[in-house]
Amino acid sequence: MPDFRFNFLAEKDLPQLHETFLQAFADYLMPVHLSAEQFRAKIKREGIVPSFCVAAYVGTGMVGFVLTGLGEWQGRPTAYNAGTGVLPQYRGYNLTQQLYAFMLPKLRESGMEQCLLEVIRENAPALRSYKAIGFRVTRTLDLFRAQKSELLLGVAEPEGITVAATTRPDWEAYSRFRDAEPSWQNTAEAIRKSPDEKIMLEARDTEQEIAGYIAFFPHTGSVAQFAVDARRRGKGIGTALLREAVQHTSAPALMFVNIDLDTTSLVSYLGRRHFSHVLRQYEMLLPIVV
């Protein structure tokens, strides 16, 4: 058994953390390659606080970590796991459980009431580790992707609807259109925090009432939120929003990340527009209030 040492991090540790992150995720089910700038953007968007991130060391080398974002989830103070990584040669030592055992007392003392994370369904070792810690699955989240050139967007323009960008998003109105809550990194707060360019498009009728909206990141093609008023679905409004989003997106594809599987109307709609299912994740929650 390696002689692991655990410690919380500071801002000065971020370069080493980034390097360890790249090594730990190089052989992941979906390999992750983030530049230093992209890594810092992730930290801001997901509310990651270095002093609540824990790392495992062997000697001076960082061999594992948990990235921790702080915020609220469903009205409760929450610690979000924005990534757990372990270098390949140090797997099999229950390091994830040890990292959490080190971290949980500080989270409780700081007033956190629960821990939240997502894990890819096929990542059986990680799923076993989280269940052993006490996490339970709360919902299933899917990722959909389509090349812009392959999208089926040739439906008639909706009558009396105008699509335009806005710099003053009406999050309260948008929340009434959604069939499910967005995941942690797609909340309004996360979108606001992100330093990456983001675009908000609204569909409005002749009375200037909002009929639907889409929030997306044009450089990656990632769609954070997308919804149409339930009373106005089936009239081409969603497709008009997607058409406009494609025009603003420099990436070759659009991605819908962490779509709640229970939002059957949206899942069905994405299939009709030629989006393909890429992977499935479980959202998991751990209450930590003593």
Side-chain angles (χ1 to χ4, degrees):
M1 169 76 78
D3 184 17
F4 293 119
R5 176 176 59 85
F6 300 93
N7 210 355
F8 290 102
L9 302 180
E11 191 77 19
K12 65 177 176 60
D13 299 311
L14 290 182
Q16 186 182 17
L17 177 61
H18 176 232
E19 183 59 37
T20 309
F21 179 94
L22 294 177
Q23 294 176 40
F25 283 97
D27 65 344
Y28 198 49
L29 288 163
M30 285 192 69
V32 181
H33 307 287
L34 297 182
S35 67
E37 183 181 2
Q38 290 169 328
F39 188 66
R40 286 191 172 272
K42 173 183 173 68
I43 286 171
K44 290 183 179 178
R45 178 175 175 179
E46 298 179 23
I48 296 169
V49 180
S51 60
F52 281 81
C53 297
V54 61
Y57 296 85
V58 173
T60 58
M62 187 184 296
V63 301
F65 59 85
V66 174
L67 302 178
T68 307
L70 300 182
E72 281 205 354
W73 182 253
Q74 299 176 340
R76 292 175 174 269
T78 301
Y80 172 69
N81 182 336
T84 298
V86 176
L87 298 187
Q89 61 270 38
Y90 293 101
R91 294 170 190 166
Y93 295 105
N94 295 324
L95 197 49
T96 298
Q97 288 97 313
Q98 295 183 64
L99 287 162
Y100 265 92
F102 184 85
M103 179 172 60
L104 284 174
K106 180 172 181 174
L107 294 180
R108 292 191 181 103
E109 290 165 11
S110 302
M112 295 297 108
E113 296 182 9
Q114 56 189 5
C115 295
L116 177 74
L117 58 81
E118 295 115 29
V119 58
I120 294 176
R121 180 183 61 176
E122 286 79 15
N123 192 348
L127 195 54
R128 282 195 299 271
S129 293
Y130 293 134
K131 286 182 175 179
I133 293 165
F135 281 92
R136 292 294 174 262
V137 173
T138 51
R139 58 178 176 167
T140 302
L141 304 171
D142 284 3
L143 186 154
F144 296 87
R145 187 176 187 275
Q147 294 292 319
K148 291 189 301 184
S149 59
E150 296 177 1
L151 284 168
L152 302 178
L153 303 177
V155 304
E157 291 286 349
E159 192 173 336
I161 294 292
T162 303
V163 175
T166 181
T167 56
R168 300 181 63 185
D170 188 341
W171 295 109
E172 185 178 346
Y174 303 161
S175 68
R176 295 195 291 270
F177 301 158
R178 296 194 301 258
D179 293 339
E181 288 300 308
S183 62
W184 180 277
Q185 66 270 55
N186 291 331
T187 62
E189 182 180 6
I191 295 170
R192 282 194 296 264
K193 284 179 178 177
S194 175
D196 293 331
E197 182 188 359
K198 54 260 186 182
I199 296 177
M200 305 285 308
L201 300 176
E202 291 179 345
R204 290 181 179 261
D205 62 19
T206 54
E207 304 297 318
Q208 289 305 297
E209 291 291 325
I210 302 172
Y213 75 103
I214 186 169
F216 63 100
F217 294 86
H219 295 305
T220 63
S222 178
V223 177
Q225 293 191 25
F226 172 67
V228 173
D229 186 338
R231 299 166 299 174
R232 306 193 193 208
R233 294 175 187 171
K235 300 179 180 179
I237 295 172
T239 304
L241 286 162
L242 276 182
R243 263 198 304 267
E244 191 68 18
V246 165
Q247 296 303 314
H248 286 82
T249 299
S250 55
L254 288 185
M255 293 183 299
F256 282 76
V257 181
N258 288 348
I259 298 298
D260 190 324
L261 188 62
D262 288 338
T263 57
T264 52
S265 62
L266 178 56
V267 170
S268 174
Y269 171 80
L270 293 176
R272 295 197 303 275
R273 300 282 76 79
H274 211 241
F275 281 88
S276 298
H277 179 264
V278 177
L279 64 80
R280 177 160 292 171
Q281 295 200 109
Y282 293 130
E283 182 182 83
M284 305 183 79
L285 199 65
L286 170 70
I288 61 172
V289 178
V290 178

